[in-house]
Amino acid sequence: MTGSFTRRDGVLYAEDVALPAIAEAAGTPVYVNSAGGMRRQARALLDAFAGHDVRICYAVKANHHLAVLRLFAGMGLGMDTVSGGEIARALKAGCPPERIVFAGVAKDTDEMRLGLAQGIFQFNVESIEELRRLGQVASAMGRRAPVALRVNPDVAAGGHDKISTGKKGDKFGVPIEDASAILAEAATMAGIEPVGLHCHIGSQITELAPFEAAYRRVLEAFTAIREGGVELTRVDFGGGFGVRYQEPPKFTIADYARMVLRLTSGLGASVVLEPGRFLVAEQAVLVARAIYLKETATHRFLVLDAGMNTLIRPAMYGAWHDILPVVAKDGPLVPTEVVGPICESSDFFARGRPLPRMMEGDLVAIMQAGAYGSVMASDYNSRPGPAEVMVDGERFTVITPRRAVERQYEDETVPPWLE
Ligand code: PLP
């Protein structure tokens, strides 16, 4: 349990609000976000780099809710976006365009126009093809796009092969050895202002060594490119800092900051960071209600009203989340299959997890659900999407109501010839 979620008299609280009260008010399943916890994480990062030319851009993809974006924008963070939709959300939440980075492997022409018209801080470009397209679009608009080229430093990292992004053969970025030639071409384009290099080697990285290995390679290339005459001023190291799911990361954010500052001291360049998971993962829980306790000769299944459509991480990455009874229970711990109601056998949260005997109607909290949780929820099986709540001290607000079934099909049309 993090500082944001604690037990009082056997009942789990989000900050100063009891989770059963939230389940009552919002229904279940419900994601419960701790505003205080998110602020604490952001403050830790800002403090670790205080006094240095380091910009923290929250990776919107981790949780794109307007309330979350507003909270971070209000603390002075920038936003790392990967689509026109995320740029629109960041702007709507009050993030100034000059704090927005636009990354992502496939920006289309309309998205480029949006970023250029808004005058965003930086485009992280992932291929020569994208660079040329951006150059043409910017020239046609009479603009220059500030570009950091995403390089692939060929370093293995990340908590799972599906979230490792910096190896040769991954679709992201350009081979680091090609960066110099690409930026030399970029420098000749009227619509492009080459400003830096970018890398992001993966997510849920729990050791410092892969970061340092990748950053050293990026900085070597950075220096060589500068010596070749392209005036780069920024280095963007992406995100990827691991959080505690089952085991805590082997480094603290202060260790990470010291490493970054040591590598970049004297470089004369601004540093950009794009943390997502670190800021939000441990600051939300998913509260679900048990529909059935189904017992067979060999297994005990706890069937929840949340499923892989609510939180896909266990099904997609085999991810571990702590699972706790919201109201503490006595009795022996018995291996329990914690599953959802979706008609897929991959619809599970934990297998053989030691839990006390839960009953129909009991609430459980699936912990560390704040990153890549609610953003990936879907209406699969036409189950109403989860509600979302934000807690701040003693107050809370339902920031997304559960998506009623009628709203799920309100945009659908039956062709007149089927009527
Ligand atoms: N930056 C880029 C380019 C990414 O692709 C991602 C995640 O996929 C992030 C930042 C955020 O990563 P994390 O949430 O692990 O910090």
Side-chain angles (χ1 to χ4, degrees):
M1 264 185 281
T2 69
S4 310
F5 301 95
T6 52
R7 240 184 232 294
R8 298 184 194 169
D9 295 330
V11 177
L12 266 182
Y13 275 65
E15 303 194 23
D16 296 322
V17 185
L19 290 181
I22 292 176
E24 187 63 35
T28 55
V30 54
Y31 278 92
V32 182
N33 297 279
S34 160
M38 291 181 192
R39 280 193 209 101
R40 216 169 30 245
Q41 292 299 98
R43 181 54 45 218
L45 255 177
L46 292 168
D47 288 351
F49 289 102
H52 296 275
D53 185 2
V54 176
R55 283 172 185 251
I56 312 287
C57 294
Y58 167 61
V60 169
K61 63 172 78 70
N63 180 341
H64 66 193
H65 198 288
L66 290 178
V68 174
L69 304 188
R70 172 67 61 92
L71 181 147
F72 288 135
M75 295 181 73
L77 269 58
M79 300 285 150
D80 168 49
T81 62
V82 292
S83 67
E86 286 194 352
I87 294 177
R89 279 180 177 272
L91 294 169
K92 171 90 180 153
C95 180
E98 59 276 13
R99 285 200 239 141
I100 295 179
V101 171
F102 186 10
V105 78
K107 302 163 196 73
D108 70 20
T109 304
D110 286 343
E111 292 175 314
M112 289 174 177
R113 284 201 191 103
L114 171 65
L116 287 160
Q118 289 291 335
I120 63 168
F121 177 65
Q122 177 174 302
F123 289 79
N124 291 349
V125 164
E126 301 233 2
S127 64
I128 184 76
E129 293 80 4
E130 189 184 49
L131 180 74
R132 290 178 184 146
R133 167 106 60 106
L134 181 59
Q136 286 161 4
V137 174
S139 289
M141 293 173 70
R143 305 263 171 147
R144 286 189 87 204
V147 162
L149 181 65
R150 178 168 182 176
V151 292
N152 181 331
D154 196 23
V155 170
H160 189 276
D161 63 354
K162 289 186 184 152
I163 50 175
S164 173
T165 55
K167 283 287 293 165
K168 267 202 175 87
D170 290 333
K171 69 177 176 181
F172 302 99
V174 301
I176 195 160
E177 53 279 11
D178 298 349
S180 171
I182 294 173
L183 282 171
E185 180 175 336
T188 67
M189 297 180 187
I192 300 291
E193 179 195 4
V195 295
L197 289 183
H198 169 237
C199 73
H200 170 78
I201 56 171
S203 202
Q204 184 54 12
I205 300 169
T206 52
E207 297 185 22
L208 267 190
F211 284 120
E212 179 157 357
Y215 296 177
R216 280 186 183 279
R217 295 205 67 194
V218 170
L219 291 171
E220 253 170 49
F222 186 91
T223 308
I225 291 165
R226 254 191 182 172
E227 283 167 5
V230 182
E231 200 28 66
L232 302 183
T233 54
R234 304 174 194 166
V235 58
D236 180 339
F237 287 142
F241 329 138
V243 301
R244 183 195 160 280
Y245 289 102
Q246 200 165 4
E247 298 291 337
K250 297 189 182 77
F251 65 92
T252 65
I253 209 63
D255 300 331
Y256 173 84
R258 270 192 294 277
M259 181 272 288
V260 168
L261 295 174
R262 172 166 47 80
L263 294 188
T264 55
S265 89
L267 188 69
S270 319
V271 175
V272 180
L273 300 175
E274 304 167 349
R277 192 186 305 272
F278 173 82
L279 290 169
V280 293
E282 293 178 76
Q283 309 313 325
V285 300
L286 171 61
V287 178
R289 201 176 283 283
I291 305 177
Y292 294 111
L293 182 70
K294 170 175 162 177
E295 296 183 278
T296 68
T298 52
H299 287 84
R300 174 182 282 181
F301 294 93
L302 184 65
V303 190
L304 304 180
D305 62 1
M308 62 188 288
N309 62 317
T310 326
L311 174 68
I312 202 170
R313 299 190 68 259
M316 185 147 90
Y317 310 121
W320 170 284
H321 289 264
D322 290 330
I323 298 178
L324 304 174
V326 166
V327 178
K329 289 214 152 193
D330 293 331
L333 302 183
V334 174
T336 305
E337 312 300 300
V338 185
V339 303
I342 299 294
C343 302
E344 302 278 345
S345 33
S346 54
D347 181 30
F348 69 91
F349 292 110
R351 300 206 191 275
R353 184 69 61 88
L355 282 175
R357 192 166 194 281
M358 308 286 290
M359 308 288 287
E360 287 174 18
D362 282 346
L363 294 171
V364 298
I366 302 174
M367 310 299 286
Q368 306 105 358
Y372 309 104
S374 58
V375 269
M376 292 197 195
S378 77
D379 293 337
Y380 186 42
N381 277 197
S382 296
R383 293 201 155 263
E388 228 174 323
V389 160
M390 186 176 266
V391 178
D392 193 12
E394 290 179 351
R395 60 189 167 173
F396 72 92
T397 301
V398 179
I399 56 175
T400 309
R402 293 180 71 215
R403 195 164 131 88
V405 74
E406 294 77 13
R407 286 201 47 218
Q408 294 176 31
Y409 52 71
E410 71 189 357
D411 295 337
E412 296 176 19
T413 300
V414 176
W417 37 267
L418 284 181
E419 296 285 2

